[in-house]
Amino acid sequence: MQAAEMNAVRAAESLLALSQQEELVDLPNHSLSASEDEGDSDGERKHQKLLESIGSLDGKKRWKLAERSEACLKVSEFNVCSEGSGEKLLLSDLLEPAKTSSSLAAVKKQLNRVKSKKAVELPLNKEEVERIHREVAFNKTSQTLSKWDPIVLKNRQAEQLVFPLEKEQPNFVPIEHVLSSWKARTPLEQEVFNLLYKNKQPVTDPLLTPLEKASLKAMSLEEVSVSSPRHAMLLPAFALKPRNHCKCHSLQAKMRRAELQRARALQSYYEARARREKKIKSKKYHKIVKKGKAKKALKEFEQLQKVNPAAALEELEKIEKARMMERMSLKHQNSGKWAKSKAIMAKYDLEARQAMQEQLAKNKELTQKLQVVSESEGENGAEEEELLVPDAVNEVQMCADGPNPWMLRNCNSDAKGEVQKDPEQPPEPVVQEVSESEDERPGAEEEILLHEFEERRSLRKRSELSQNAEPVGSQETKDSSCQEVLSELKLLTQKLNQKNHQSRKQKVSSVRTVLQVQKEECALEEEEPVLLQRPERVQTLEDLEDLGHEEYSQNKELPRPVMEEEKAEKTSNNQTDAPKEKKKKEQMIDLQNLLTTKSPSVKLLAVPTAVEELEDEEEKHQKQIIKEAFAGDDVIRDFLKEKKEAVKANKPKDVDLTLPGWGEWGGIGLKPSAKKRRRFLIKAPEGPPRKDKNLPNVIISEKRNIHAAAHQVRVLPYPFTHHQQFERTVQTPIGSTWNTQRAFQKLTTPKVVTKPGHIIKPIKAEDVGYCSSSRSDLSVTQSNPKRPSGHHKKQLKKISRD
Amino acid sequence: METVPRPGRGVPPKKDKLQAKRKKPRRYWEEETAPAVAGASPGPPRKKKKKKNLEVRRQKQKNSHNSKKSRISKKSQFRKKSREQKKPGPQRTLSGAQDPFPGPAPVPLEVARKFRRIDKSKELPHSLPKTRSKLEVAEALEEEISVKAARSELLLAEEPGFLEGEDGEDTAKIRQADIVEAVDIASAAKHFDLNLRQFGPYRLNYSRTGRHLAFGGRRGHVAAFDWVTKKLMCEINVMEAVRDIRFLHSEALLAVAQNRWLHIYDNQGIELHCIRRCDRVTRLEFLPFHFLLATASETGFLTYLDVSVGKIVAALNIRAGRLNVMAQNPYNAVIHLGHSNGTVSLWSPSVQEPLAKILCHRGGIQAVAVDCTGTYMATSGLDHQLKVFDLRGTFQPLSARTLPQGAGHLAFSQRGLLAAGMGDVVNIWAGQGKASLPSLEQPYLTHRLAGPVHGLQFCPFEDVLGVGHSGGITSMLVPGASEPNFDGLESNPYRSRKQRQEWEVKALLEKVPAELICLNPRALAEVDVISLEQHKKERVERLGYDPEAKAPFQPKAKQKGRSSTGSLVKRKKKVLAQEHRDKVRQSLEEQQKQKQKQKAKPTGARPSALDRFGGL
């Protein structure tokens, strides 16, 4: 076979060479031959022969031995050639005898089987294999290592690490255990113990006697049973039973447990279902659900119309509202994506056309304004409006004016909760009392659970109701939610009027004892206005406080040792609403005042001396002397001048880039024009205001202390993004000069503590509480002690996911 | 804030005995003076000086005794209680009894607040969770530490003394003799006069522990002694005018500003150094934590000498003529210089120009003093005024008073009492509590001396005011002047030689560099914002982009044709608009806040209906 191939290749080469030659001679011929080439091999052969004969014409190669590269029809005895038949030689063909015999069938089958098996793929080359191995190993390692991540993180964040890790747990043996090993030996001790045993006094566990224990157990059970109002409501019989019935405790507990279990199970079912429904993505399903709901709502509305026209009117109102929303939202116009696609399809598709028309119709229906109802109905409507705008709304608004809206919101929601409860079961007063008396912890959790469950159920019911009440047109969930709110509000108003003080009562009574509750029923009505008024009162109080503050600050504003006259001046200034400019002036005046004010002179001086008698005269005299002495040098003016200079020197200077004589006449006495100067002046940015801007008698240097700055922190450490954050963490001094010894020790605890002379072994899985650690894990940790950093870990994860 | 138990002092050598045993060396002043050392018996220095009524002294003593007793009993009760509260025993005992006060003892909030360092009222910019956790840790730590400090307040057992007149009685009329009579013997011994008329007006200086006193007379008399035991350390005459005298970090070294140069002596009067670079020095100040000796000279130079290495750190030309008024601010080690043009300038060795310049008086400044918390500065000028300034940023006068004679010397005590020497009279004003503004209306105490005052200083940890005058030295009793509780590790009046040496080493190790002196020492704990910004800017320039800038919003790819170019642009715009809106909202809020603040400011007196006619 190989030889044949080689022949073929050689033939092809020669052919190529020839064809190149011929190319030069005759192009059209070549193209022809090419086409013939593809056509049949017979022609090709002839052609080749021809070419060869042409090639031999030049005489260099006289006669080339003709190679047999072509197939022949007959199989020669030396060569196997399949070309002639035009078919591939199959393995089975070799076995095929001239006539078929059945004896070879089994062999054939075997052969077929062999053939059907795919050929073994070439083994990958070594590098690739290694790469794959590495990848796999890496993934495995990273997985095992990622177990340690939380530990690494914990250790990094730990304030202190103590090595070696394993610590002997100090064995605190309870005193009772110690005592239990001790035995009475002396006769006196034995006697005492005998006595104790006889009276059933505790010997080993001295904390509680068996009697006490029993009573405690009973009490705790009772507490549990009593502690939940909800539970009491569900099982009123138990709650009503006298408390010291100890026998039924176990029964109660069991029942209660069962109840709780049921509640939990139901809750979990409900949650699962909700989750499942939420997950459904099918549009069709949702459409169907929506439609079903709409239909149901319509039906119920009709029913309602028959039964209770007033309620139906309310529903109508809601529908109206929905319509309004619709009108506002323009949802059903043919501007949506869906509508647009349908519009395109409508040309060809009847269904699409219909759908579009439906939608348009709906739109029309929704956007159509309802007819004005007749007068008699209008009154009704007005009434309804009143109903629809519930009192609660007004109340809320009223309260919103008050100082603390949050509080009100809370109370409102409380009321809501109350109302939610109400429709289902008007709670019995006794039960309530029980609930009020409870303040035990253990039952609280289950109670909350139960309560939650109950609430959910009610909520679901109500939502269903509201969905029923939904008009046909409103398909948007938004609308439904709107309606929910509306219906809630409505319900609220209805109940609120009746139950208002009741709910209040409940709130208040939760604090009080059982006995007081009944008394308060009447008293609460009096209390109510007080409760309502409260915010306002607070406001007034706050106002008062504010006033006080204002007065105080007024007083504080004039701490300067200025005389009364000046004070009067200032107040007059304030009264005339002097703007800032005036204030500035005042400051400058202030400087004069500062030094010239007459301050109170010391009247009582020292031990009675001769000085005092002449005081006034002397003072005047001295003042005159001083005035004369300082008449010449005006200290204030000098200081102001100095300050002005300092301010000027510290100001950033403008850069003037004007070139005199550029573009205009220059020379001595000629100045560039103002316009040009303005144009080429680069104004320096104005720095921060001076510290002594408002202090007329002070010059504070703005120069930076570079020597001190060299000691300051210049780079923000890592987790901080703003210098103020960092500054806050370094505010506390850590030296022992400023702290107590303990505080100092705490502030300077070393990050890592090692015990001298102890070997620090690498961390093991057992140390951190991983009980199962396979050998491979260990080996990995040993061979690869370096833990992956955050970045590294991310990479690992990516790879492992791949 | 810890008090170390006082080292039990052995029986100190009693002076009387010594006199009896040894032949007393005859001092040159003794021919004229008999030091008024009545019963100089050393004893516990802190005794409450109480004075309620001068007329009925016995009753008063009884009263005081009673009150003392009652207080002590109260205290003991309190302690008992606290001990009980602190008892950490197991919750349940074998007997079943329970701790009636479980948990740690409660700490009064106000006391803890005193030790708070972090100002939580300042709002921080928004922080990442990691940062926030760090901040929370720091805040919690600070709180815990402040609570611990508040707890240890209990260890400050001593209370300051006070002088209280009966209603209508003026404490200023109480004479020193009355006080001396009323107090116990040990305290009475602290009042004495040294009559040294020969060598002119005296300057004096107490050591930082308050145990030693050095004084120098104008005519060359220099002496140092343990003023409590009256044990003389050294006494020399330098044969040159002495302008000022000051102890260095310990009582073993003494700096004396003499007519020409600055000299340093040890406690035996041996001259150690003559510093010729500090010439014609008029005033000396020693900054104990920086080991700097600041000298103000006639030539107008302020020189800082580092006494630990003997190098001149800085010599600043003040350009304000002769300097003879100087004070240090113990809070921030800034030197205050008073000038003849009525200004006080504040100096630090690292800055060549004054940190601040305050115009205080019309005439020249006569004296300056700063209280130990660095809050108040008292100045007196040639215009006969005494003013107290607020040093916390505003530098405004808080109170002022005209004195018939200007105060030539001023001094603040540790608890904020202000003493002024006017001629031969010393007035002392007191405030309400510790480190409060002294009210200048009524003097707390007055005293007339034998001659015009030349030097004033309150003794640390003793209720004593030392006055140097032309007639010698007077030690006045001023109840409530100084801090009753000393820090045994910092300045211990009872330390031994060994302790002093140890302290010296520690203090040297903790020496604060001179460059760190600035107006607000807390500013050192702040980040250098300017270089931080510079650093950031340079980095941005180097990289070509801001690595910390917030990346522009990149909308997430969405499916079903919702991430078309149009919608992408729309989403981007939406986010931009939202950001912009937030910004606007914030700025609006800020504006409103400012407006509210302005509104909250009082608008003067309540406007009356007649105001409208005021303009006419």
Side-chain angles (χ1 to χ4, degrees):
Chain A
M1 287 282 277
Q2 270 194 359
E5 265 178 30
M6 285 286 287
N7 285 343
V9 168
R10 214 170 289 156
E13 269 175 11
S14 62
L15 185 98
L16 213 123
L18 280 173
S19 65
Q20 274 172 355
Q21 273 182 353
E22 211 178 45
E23 216 171 37
L24 296 173
V25 180
D26 197 1
L27 263 172
N29 193 13
H30 173 251
S31 63
L32 236 177
S33 73
S35 65
E36 269 178 10
D37 242 1
E38 285 154 11
D40 50 342
S41 51
D42 220 39
E44 187 193 25
R45 238 180 294 125
K46 278 177 187 167
H47 180 68
Q48 202 171 343
K49 262 195 174 169
L50 174 73
L51 287 180
E52 270 170 357
S53 56
I54 292 167
S56 62
L57 279 180
D58 60 355
K60 266 192 181 171
K61 281 184 198 162
R62 265 295 147 114
W63 187 248
K64 222 181 187 178
L65 241 163
E67 274 178 58
R68 283 180 53 177
S69 60
E70 69 272 38
C72 50
L73 280 170
K74 283 176 189 169
V75 181
S76 78
E77 40 196 318
F78 311 110
N79 224 355
V80 179
C81 187
S82 65
E83 207 171 328
S85 63
E87 291 165 357
K88 236 183 173 180
L89 185 69
L90 290 175
L91 212 55
S92 53
D93 293 340
L94 294 179
L95 287 172
E96 213 165 11
K99 60 174 187 224
T100 52
S101 69
S102 58
S103 63
L104 280 174
V107 183
K108 236 185 185 174
K109 242 182 204 170
Q110 271 180 0
L111 253 176
N112 272 339
R113 212 180 297 147
V114 167
K115 226 169 51 177
S116 68
K117 264 186 195 168
K118 263 188 184 172
V120 179
E121 273 181 41
L122 266 178
L124 289 170
N125 43 351
K126 203 175 160 196
E127 283 110 42
E128 265 175 37
V129 171
E130 271 177 354
R131 191 185 297 146
I132 287 162
H133 278 303
R134 275 200 309 263
E135 226 160 71
V136 171
F138 185 74
N139 285 351
K140 227 182 191 175
T141 319
S142 60
Q143 247 174 10
T144 52
L145 282 184
S146 67
K147 261 189 211 169
W148 294 89
D149 287 347
I151 293 146
V152 170
L153 196 70
K154 208 181 86 194
N155 280 357
R156 267 190 203 149
Q157 286 171 350
E159 279 175 19
Q160 193 178 39
L161 293 174
V162 183
F163 295 112
L165 277 174
E166 64 265 9
K167 276 179 276 182
E168 310 91 56
Q169 289 293 323
N171 242 346
F172 288 118
V173 183
I175 193 79
E176 295 86 53
H177 290 240
V178 176
L179 283 177
S180 66
S181 63
W182 176 79
K183 271 174 187 169
R185 275 169 203 154
T186 60
L188 179 67
E189 280 169 359
Q190 276 164 356
E191 210 167 303
V192 167
F193 268 73
N194 273 339
L195 265 175
L196 285 175
Y197 278 123
K198 263 181 200 166
N199 292 333
K200 282 188 177 175
Q201 286 299 316
V203 180
T204 49
D205 183 12
L207 290 176
L208 293 172
T209 61
L211 264 176
E212 277 173 346
K213 259 185 198 168
S215 67
L216 200 74
K217 201 178 174 189
M219 271 165 70
S220 70
L221 262 175
E222 195 176 15
E223 273 164 18
V224 167
S225 70
V226 166
S227 61
S228 85
R230 181 70 46 179
H231 177 234
M233 234 161 61
L234 294 168
L235 303 167
F238 294 134
L240 286 169
K241 268 180 190 171
R243 289 180 186 189
N244 40 8
H245 261 237
C246 289
K247 283 187 182 177
C248 61
H249 281 318
S250 61
L251 187 71
Q252 268 187 11
K254 266 183 194 170
M255 296 273 287
R256 178 166 167 66
R257 196 153 158 273
E259 170 76 14
L260 279 172
Q261 273 178 342
R262 193 169 153 267
R264 276 211 192 95
L266 279 175
Q267 190 188 6
S268 68
Y269 294 155
Y270 176 75
E271 273 174 2
R273 195 178 149 210
R275 225 172 282 141
R276 207 171 53 236
E277 277 179 0
K278 201 186 162 195
K279 258 190 187 169
I280 294 172
K281 274 184 184 169
S282 157
K283 282 184 177 174
K284 198 173 178 184
Y285 166 78
H286 283 295
K287 210 195 264 173
I288 288 165
V289 166
K290 258 188 224 166
K291 267 188 184 167
K293 272 181 190 169
K295 258 181 201 167
K296 216 175 168 187
L298 200 68
K299 226 182 243 172
E300 270 182 25
F301 177 66
E302 275 167 6
Q303 252 183 5
L304 204 66
Q305 248 181 343
K306 277 173 201 164
V307 179
N308 188 1
L313 269 171
E314 270 171 35
E315 293 300 317
L316 206 69
E317 197 78 22
K318 262 186 258 164
I319 294 168
E320 168 67 357
K321 193 122 195 177
R323 190 192 60 78
M324 271 149 71
M325 299 291 278
E326 189 65 37
R327 273 187 77 169
M328 283 192 293
S329 68
L330 303 175
K331 269 270 161 67
H332 289 279
Q333 235 130 28
N334 46 1
S335 56
K337 204 185 258 176
W338 176 84
K340 274 176 189 166
S341 70
K342 286 288 167 208
I344 294 164
M345 292 299 290
K347 245 183 194 176
Y348 316 104
D349 194 350
L350 198 72
E351 265 181 46
R353 206 180 305 162
Q354 261 177 0
M356 239 187 82
Q357 265 165 1
E358 235 170 72
Q359 200 195 357
L360 282 176
K362 200 178 275 173
N363 179 34
K364 211 172 248 174
E365 187 192 322
L366 283 168
T367 49
Q368 215 171 30
K369 206 172 183 188
L370 285 189
Q371 282 115 15
V372 186
V373 270
S374 64
E375 270 195 24
S376 60
E377 277 176 352
E379 274 178 19
N380 222 341
E383 268 178 31
E384 259 168 53
E385 257 180 48
E386 273 178 14
L387 263 175
L388 221 152
V389 179
D391 288 5
V393 173
N394 288 332
E395 211 175 80
V396 168
Q397 278 176 348
M398 203 176 69
C399 298
D401 295 342
N404 196 347
W406 302 102
M407 295 284 290
L408 290 163
R409 200 170 183 189
N410 267 341
C411 99
N412 240 9
S413 67
D414 274 4
K416 242 183 236 174
E418 225 57 62
V419 169
Q420 281 168 12
K421 267 189 225 161
D422 284 340
E424 288 167 33
Q425 247 178 333
E428 289 170 21
V430 188
V431 172
Q432 259 183 33
E433 276 168 25
V434 171
S435 79
E436 279 141 23
S437 66
E438 60 97 358
D439 49 349
E440 267 32 272
R441 293 283 143 227
E445 210 182 70
E446 284 112 327
E447 254 160 57
I448 289 164
L449 201 74
L450 263 177
H451 181 82
E452 212 176 29
F453 169 64
E454 203 90 338
E455 236 179 28
R456 269 196 197 182
R457 226 164 45 186
S458 69
L459 204 115
R460 191 168 33 137
K461 269 187 189 171
R462 205 153 0 86
S463 72
E464 272 171 17
L465 255 174
S466 65
Q467 273 168 0
N468 294 343
E470 252 184 323
V472 193
S474 69
Q475 292 181 347
E476 272 62 39
T477 48
K478 245 192 200 171
D479 286 4
S480 75
S481 74
C482 268
Q483 247 117 42
E484 251 182 58
V485 171
L486 251 178
S487 68
E488 245 181 47
L489 266 178
K490 198 190 68 193
L491 266 172
L492 233 168
T493 42
Q494 281 175 359
K495 307 291 178 193
L496 247 171
N497 291 334
Q498 298 158 10
K499 309 273 175 181
N500 204 0
H501 47 255
Q502 216 173 358
S503 65
R504 286 261 156 86
K505 199 194 307 158
Q506 282 169 4
K507 245 186 291 162
V508 176
S509 57
S510 66
V511 191
R512 297 172 196 223
T513 49
V514 188
L515 289 170
Q516 278 175 333
V517 174
Q518 282 166 349
K519 278 185 198 170
E520 268 168 16
E521 292 216 343
C522 48
L524 260 161
E525 284 175 7
E526 291 159 21
E527 242 181 55
E528 212 178 78
V530 178
L531 278 170
L532 282 171
Q533 271 176 12
R534 214 177 124 209
E536 281 168 0
R537 250 199 210 165
V538 169
Q539 198 179 17
T540 53
L541 259 176
E542 279 173 0
D543 279 358
L544 261 177
E545 261 183 24
D546 278 1
L547 276 173
H549 270 295
E550 270 173 22
E551 278 170 15
Y552 180 68
S553 52
Q554 260 183 28
N555 291 340
K556 270 243 148 171
E557 228 217 3
L558 309 163
R560 292 175 191 170
V562 214
M563 300 315 299
E564 276 85 356
E565 297 164 307
E566 215 191 326
K567 265 188 198 173
E569 269 181 30
K570 267 202 174 174
T571 47
S572 69
N573 265 345
N574 277 335
Q575 278 168 8
T576 50
D577 285 348
K580 276 183 184 173
E581 294 166 321
K582 263 202 174 171
K583 262 193 181 171
K584 260 187 195 169
K585 263 187 192 170
E586 202 184 25
Q587 269 168 13
M588 294 328 275
I589 295 162
D590 203 15
L591 182 55
Q592 304 274 353
N593 284 341
L594 202 89
L595 299 170
T596 52
T597 42
K598 188 189 156 201
S599 53
S601 59
V602 177
K603 276 170 195 163
L604 199 148
L605 221 200
V607 204
T609 47
V611 186
E612 271 81 289
E613 280 109 64
L614 297 171
E615 205 188 28
D616 277 347
E617 283 179 31
E618 203 172 306
E619 204 177 308
K620 275 182 190 170
H621 182 64
Q622 272 180 343
K623 268 203 176 151
Q624 272 196 342
I625 290 174
I626 291 163
K627 264 191 183 172
E628 282 164 19
F630 299 122
D633 44 45
D634 192 348
V635 177
I636 298 168
R637 209 182 51 206
D638 287 351
F639 187 81
L640 284 180
K641 207 171 148 193
E642 199 178 338
K643 179 162 182 177
K644 211 179 264 177
E645 274 168 17
V647 170
K648 212 177 181 184
N650 210 15
K651 240 186 189 172
K653 273 156 198 133
D654 299 347
V655 184
D656 193 1
L657 293 176
T658 42
L659 293 172
W662 191 259
E664 58 192 1
W665 286 108
I668 300 160
L670 284 174
K671 275 186 180 173
S673 66
K675 191 183 157 197
K676 201 176 174 193
R677 257 184 291 160
R678 220 182 299 129
R679 208 182 141 194
F680 288 100
L681 192 74
I682 297 170
K683 277 203 174 164
E686 221 167 278
R690 280 180 70 88
K691 278 182 243 164
D692 54 6
K693 200 180 152 199
N694 296 324
L695 307 170
N697 65 327
V698 187
I699 306 171
I700 299 175
S701 160
E702 296 280 314
K703 210 174 172 188
R704 199 163 151 244
N705 186 354
I706 43 169
H707 296 289
H711 293 268
Q712 279 178 303
V713 176
R714 240 170 294 167
V715 184
L716 273 184
Y718 157 56
F720 302 104
T721 49
H722 198 271
H723 63 91
Q724 280 172 359
Q725 293 164 354
F726 174 64
E727 276 159 18
R728 187 161 281 195
T729 57
V730 292
Q731 292 274 297
T732 38
I734 55 169
S736 59
T737 318
W738 300 275
N739 292 307
T740 59
Q741 189 56 29
R742 283 292 183 80
F744 169 65
Q745 279 169 350
K746 169 133 208 208
L747 282 167
T748 55
T749 41
K751 199 116 203 296
V752 178
V753 175
T754 54
K755 233 176 177 181
H758 285 253
I759 297 165
I760 299 170
K761 283 176 191 159
I763 194 165
K764 268 181 274 172
E766 290 91 62
D767 293 340
V768 265
Y770 290 148
C771 47
S772 65
S773 65
S774 65
R775 184 152 293 183
S776 68
D777 276 13
L778 269 179
S779 70
V780 161
T781 47
Q782 273 165 7
S783 66
N784 203 358
K786 215 170 140 190
R787 271 150 216 159
S789 62
H791 178 67
H792 195 181
K793 208 173 65 196
K794 263 181 211 163
Q795 275 190 342
L796 280 188
K797 269 183 191 163
K798 218 189 234 170
I799 289 165
S800 60
R801 233 180 286 130
D802 295 341
Chain B
M1 286 287 126
E2 283 148 314
T3 47
V4 160
R6 286 178 194 163
R9 303 177 66 240
V11 182
K14 283 192 180 171
K15 203 166 187 189
D16 297 353
K17 270 189 184 173
L18 267 179
Q19 278 173 355
K21 265 186 190 172
R22 250 197 296 162
K23 215 178 177 187
K24 205 178 102 191
R26 196 181 168 78
R27 301 293 174 195
Y28 55 84
W29 69 77
E30 261 177 2
E31 52 202 0
E32 342 175 315
T33 65
V37 189
S41 68
R46 295 243 38 84
K47 277 285 145 93
K48 277 111 223 173
K49 280 149 220 146
K50 283 202 174 177
K51 194 153 180 49
K52 286 195 176 163
N53 195 344
L54 282 170
E55 278 78 48
V56 200
R57 214 162 284 152
R58 265 178 208 163
Q59 262 188 18
K60 182 220 74 187
Q61 277 182 341
K62 256 187 194 170
N63 281 346
S64 71
H65 198 66
N66 282 345
S67 68
K68 217 178 194 175
K69 245 190 182 172
S70 67
R71 192 171 57 234
I72 284 168
S73 63
K74 259 187 210 164
K75 228 182 208 171
S76 64
Q77 276 174 6
F78 173 64
R79 272 181 193 161
K80 222 179 179 179
K81 220 176 180 180
S82 68
R83 206 174 299 146
E84 271 177 13
Q85 284 165 351
K86 271 186 184 172
K87 209 196 288 178
Q91 288 287 317
R92 247 193 253 163
T93 50
L94 265 182
S95 60
Q98 284 191 343
D99 187 359
F101 305 104
V107 176
L109 266 179
E110 313 88 61
V111 183
R113 200 173 297 140
K114 199 170 76 181
F115 296 102
R116 301 307 285 275
R117 255 76 176 231
I118 293 176
D119 181 16
K120 274 183 188 165
S121 61
K122 259 192 214 163
E123 270 196 26
L124 284 183
H126 175 73
S127 42
L128 302 171
K130 210 173 226 174
T131 324
R132 211 174 301 136
S133 70
K134 275 218 166 186
L135 286 172
E136 273 160 14
V137 165
E139 270 162 20
L141 201 63
E142 185 243 13
E143 194 166 346
E144 196 189 327
I145 281 159
S146 69
V147 165
K148 270 179 182 158
R151 284 239 166 84
S152 70
E153 193 93 309
L154 194 74
L155 300 171
L156 305 179
E158 302 289 336
E159 284 173 27
F162 56 90
L163 195 63
E164 220 171 57
E166 280 211 332
D167 40 57
E169 198 198 7
D170 196 358
T171 50
K173 277 183 183 156
I174 298 170
R175 288 176 297 135
Q176 281 289 310
D178 297 331
I179 297 174
V180 169
E181 246 177 81
V183 298
D184 58 322
I185 299 170
S187 302
K190 284 167 195 161
H191 171 69
F192 61 88
D193 275 302
L194 298 180
N195 291 334
L196 313 161
R197 299 209 167 270
Q198 206 176 338
F199 294 101
Y202 277 89
R203 297 278 304 169
L204 82 170
N205 181 233
Y206 285 101
S207 67
R208 259 177 68 72
T209 57
R211 200 54 203 269
H212 300 271
L213 175 65
F215 52 89
R218 164 99 41 87
R219 285 168 210 144
H221 176 209
V222 171
F225 72 122
D226 181 346
W227 70 269
V228 180
T229 58
K230 315 290 187 304
K231 192 182 157 199
L232 193 67
M233 280 156 58
C234 70
E235 185 173 34
I236 45 171
N237 198 324
V238 295
M239 305 306 280
E240 205 177 3
V242 171
R243 252 72 167 276
D244 203 354
I245 187 164
R246 201 132 297 238
F247 274 117
L248 297 190
H249 55 276
S250 73
E251 56 271 12
L253 290 170
L254 202 60
V256 180
Q258 294 177 15
N259 194 25
R260 283 202 77 180
W261 295 310
L262 175 69
H263 292 257
I264 289 179
Y265 299 91
D266 75 348
N267 57 359
Q268 288 168 324
I270 299 164
E271 185 186 317
L272 300 178
H273 302 288
C274 169
I275 297 150
R276 288 182 196 176
R277 282 194 60 190
C278 303
D279 60 332
R280 303 198 165 275
V281 174
T282 54
R283 284 284 178 271
L284 294 172
E285 276 293 342
F286 184 69
L287 310 176
F289 299 106
H290 304 77
F291 283 86
L292 289 180
L293 182 69
T295 60
S297 68
E298 268 177 10
T299 52
F301 272 88
L302 173 65
T303 315
Y304 287 89
L305 175 72
D306 190 336
V307 296
S308 63
V309 290
K311 242 167 82 176
I312 284 181
V313 171
L316 309 170
N317 191 357
I318 304 301
R319 295 199 192 85
R322 189 186 141 95
L323 304 169
N324 58 355
V325 179
M326 177 155 78
Q328 68 160 306
N329 186 343
Y331 171 63
N332 52 13
V334 165
I335 292 289
H336 293 229
L337 291 173
H339 306 298
S340 58
N341 59 356
T343 57
V344 169
S345 54
L346 278 55
W347 293 87
S348 142
S350 50
V351 184
Q352 293 291 322
E353 61 180 36
L355 299 173
K357 215 171 199 189
I358 312 154
L359 180 60
C360 297
H361 292 278
R362 294 211 84 159
I365 304 282
Q366 273 192 306
V368 178
V370 185
D371 89 316
C372 68
T373 57
T375 318
Y376 306 116
M377 173 177 74
T379 60
S380 75
L382 282 176
D383 55 355
H384 290 197
Q385 281 208 327
L386 172 65
K387 288 182 180 176
V388 179
F389 284 81
D390 186 3
L391 284 183
R392 293 167 294 187
T394 58
F395 304 104
Q396 294 302 307
L398 296 170
S399 58
R401 188 144 202 99
T402 311
L403 306 170
Q405 294 168 289
H409 297 274
L410 293 171
F412 266 107
S413 83
Q414 279 178 327
R415 283 178 59 81
L417 269 61
L418 176 63
M422 300 161 288
D424 58 348
V425 175
V426 171
N427 265 24
I428 297 159
W429 291 277
Q432 287 301 323
K434 202 210 160 183
S436 62
L437 178 69
S439 62
L440 297 182
E441 271 134 40
Q442 282 285 327
Y444 176 59
L445 272 180
T446 52
H447 187 58
R448 176 172 276 275
L449 300 154
V453 177
H454 197 63
L456 266 182
Q457 200 193 352
F458 278 99
C459 178
F461 309 113
E462 294 282 0
D463 284 348
V464 162
L465 170 68
V467 187
H469 49 88
S470 58
I473 281 173
T474 303
S475 167
M476 274 173 69
L477 294 185
V478 186
S482 57
E483 187 58 48
N485 298 290
F486 58 86
D487 184 349
L489 296 173
E490 190 59 38
S491 47
N492 184 358
Y494 305 103
R495 67 189 176 193
S496 60
R497 211 171 109 251
K498 212 71 201 158
Q499 280 174 325
R500 194 194 74 207
Q501 285 165 356
E502 293 230 343
W503 167 84
E504 213 166 345
V505 171
K506 267 184 199 157
L508 276 169
L509 286 174
E510 286 172 359
K511 188 181 111 170
V512 184
E515 308 97 73
L516 296 186
I517 297 175
C518 52
L519 265 184
N520 181 15
R522 303 285 273 149
L524 291 170
E526 286 166 7
V527 175
D528 186 9
V529 180
I530 294 173
S531 41
L532 185 77
E533 295 286 318
Q534 176 80 8
H535 185 78
K536 212 185 257 174
K537 219 166 101 190
E538 276 169 9
R539 188 159 171 237
V540 169
E541 232 166 72
R542 214 181 313 129
L543 293 174
Y545 70 97
D546 189 1
E548 281 157 27
K550 202 181 148 196
F553 172 70
Q554 204 60 42
K556 267 185 199 165
K558 286 189 176 176
Q559 284 179 339
K560 297 185 180 171
R562 271 176 295 177
S563 88
S564 65
T565 327
S567 77
L568 281 186
V569 170
K570 225 185 260 169
R571 266 147 73 194
K572 269 188 199 172
K573 262 187 190 167
K574 223 194 243 170
V575 170
L576 269 182
Q578 187 61 39
E579 276 170 6
H580 186 246
R581 230 172 284 147
D582 284 347
K583 256 185 210 166
V584 169
R585 204 169 290 144
Q586 264 185 3
S587 69
L588 269 180
E589 268 170 22
E590 269 169 28
Q591 275 179 7
Q592 271 184 350
K593 262 186 200 169
Q594 275 184 352
K595 263 188 192 170
Q596 276 180 357
K597 264 186 196 170
Q598 277 178 356
K599 262 189 191 173
K601 272 183 190 169
T603 53
R606 195 172 275 183
S608 78
L610 297 177
D611 280 347
R612 66 189 69 173
F613 306 115
L616 296 175

